[in-house]
Amino acid sequence: MNCPKCNSVNIKKNGHVHNRKQNHLCRDCGRQFVEHSEKKTVSGFEKNIIEKLLIERISLRGICRVMNVSLTWLLQFFRRVADNIPNDSGIIKPEKSKLSIEPDEIRSFVKKKKKKRRIWLAFDRNSGQIAGFHIGNRTRNDAKKLWKSLPGVYRQCAVCHSDFLEAYEKVIPENRHRPSGKETGQTNHIERFCCTLRQRVSRPVRKTLSFSKNDDNHIRSIRYFIWKFNSALLV
């Protein structure tokens, strides 16, 4: 018997694992292992592929079938990856001159259609990045949370082109707020991104079956995609 880590033969028995199989310990490197283990080990290459699949419109169970991993493992892996995202979500620090953003919100739900959620987004016209986002309801308080999610330079200098949702009027400074209809083309960028989001992430798709069962995973999935989207602009 050889150690799977250092290939040493200096092995000793080391009790049993939870399923009563004999556990072994390598005296040279300290690695513990079970001989002829049926447990699948996911390689670094497979993990890189899974990270890419998480930002495509495929369900978690679909990823399990493609990559031959368990749903329990995939959920744990997804949470670890999403929780390690930087707090700034990959936002590029913009210059103060000519800042212009387009806020909007799209529908989604958690667990069942009665538990509606709104994905609030703010698109930077110049850099093409998502400067801020919030997931909640469609109230003035949620508009405030979207505004607070923006870096300070946006809140101080950016001109905002939005639709006529009343919640924006009470949050965005009046001298920098430019409400307009879709026919003017002033909100085309954010509308196009919402289309991209629905094409790449299954959760906000209308009549989807790939919905989240809790708010934490719902927020993680959207935040993870936004981070990947913003990071791709740096390449």
Side-chain angles (χ1 to χ4, degrees):
M1 186 187 305
N2 296 341
C3 172
K5 184 177 181 180
C6 66
N7 206 34
S8 171
V9 295
N10 190 12
I11 306 298
K12 72 171 185 177
K13 293 182 178 181
N14 190 40
H16 296 80
V17 295
H18 66 282
N19 57 5
R20 299 183 180 180
K21 286 189 176 182
Q22 181 65 57
N23 190 36
H24 298 86
L25 174 69
C26 175
R27 290 190 175 97
D28 293 334
C29 69
R31 168 70 182 270
Q32 297 188 47
F33 64 96
V34 174
E35 189 179 16
H36 306 307
S37 175
E38 298 176 357
K39 183 178 180 181
K40 175 181 172 59
T41 301
V42 183
S43 66
F45 176 74
E46 290 175 315
K47 289 179 180 179
N48 289 335
I49 295 177
I50 291 172
E51 287 182 10
K52 294 178 180 179
L53 290 175
L54 286 171
I55 57 172
E56 300 297 336
R57 198 168 77 174
I58 179 172
S59 66
L60 293 180
R61 292 186 184 276
I63 296 175
C64 291
R65 291 190 292 270
V66 171
M67 300 304 300
N68 192 27
V69 297
S70 70
L71 182 61
T72 300
W73 180 92
L74 181 60
L75 284 170
Q76 292 174 350
F77 176 75
F78 170 60
R79 289 167 185 154
R80 287 197 303 270
V81 171
D83 290 344
N84 287 329
I85 295 174
N87 293 329
D88 61 2
S89 296
I91 297 173
I92 307 166
K93 292 183 179 179
E95 298 179 0
K96 290 185 178 181
S97 60
K98 298 182 179 180
L99 280 180
S100 180
I101 62 173
E102 299 175 17
D104 199 9
E105 73 287 338
I106 62 175
R107 298 177 183 178
S108 63
F109 67 93
V110 172
K111 195 172 183 177
K112 54 185 178 181
K113 292 182 178 179
K114 291 183 179 180
K115 296 183 65 175
K116 297 178 181 179
R117 297 291 182 270
R118 289 279 179 165
I119 303 172
W120 295 72
L121 303 161
F123 187 92
D124 185 332
R125 281 184 172 183
N126 299 320
S127 66
Q129 68 184 350
I130 299 302
F133 90 102
H134 165 68
I135 297 179
N137 298 311
R138 204 186 187 207
T139 65
R140 186 186 306 173
N141 187 45
D142 291 289
K144 289 180 180 179
K145 290 181 179 179
L146 172 66
W147 187 251
K148 288 182 179 179
S149 72
L150 293 167
V153 64
Y154 287 100
R155 298 196 301 269
Q156 296 169 8
C157 307
V159 175
C160 302
H161 300 270
S162 73
D163 54 25
F164 293 100
L165 184 65
E166 185 179 355
Y168 292 126
E169 299 177 2
K170 305 297 182 180
V171 175
I172 303 172
E174 186 176 357
N175 61 329
R176 290 188 280 121
H177 189 202
R178 307 286 188 271
S180 55
K182 291 184 179 180
E183 69 280 356
T184 63
Q186 295 299 319
T187 58
N188 281 359
H189 297 87
I190 184 60
E191 294 288 349
R192 180 62 184 85
F193 176 79
C194 290
C195 180
T196 299
L197 184 63
R198 289 192 178 99
Q199 289 296 319
R200 299 288 299 278
V201 182
S202 57
R203 287 164 178 80
V205 176
R206 296 181 178 92
K207 299 182 180 180
T208 183
L209 292 177
S210 301
F211 54 86
S212 299
K213 292 185 178 180
N214 61 68
D215 285 294
D216 290 339
N217 285 342
H218 190 62
I219 294 171
R220 285 187 182 102
S221 64
I222 303 301
R223 186 166 177 260
Y224 180 69
F225 176 79
I226 291 174
W227 174 63
K228 284 287 190 180
F229 181 85
N230 287 342
S231 299
L233 299 175
L234 297 173
V235 179

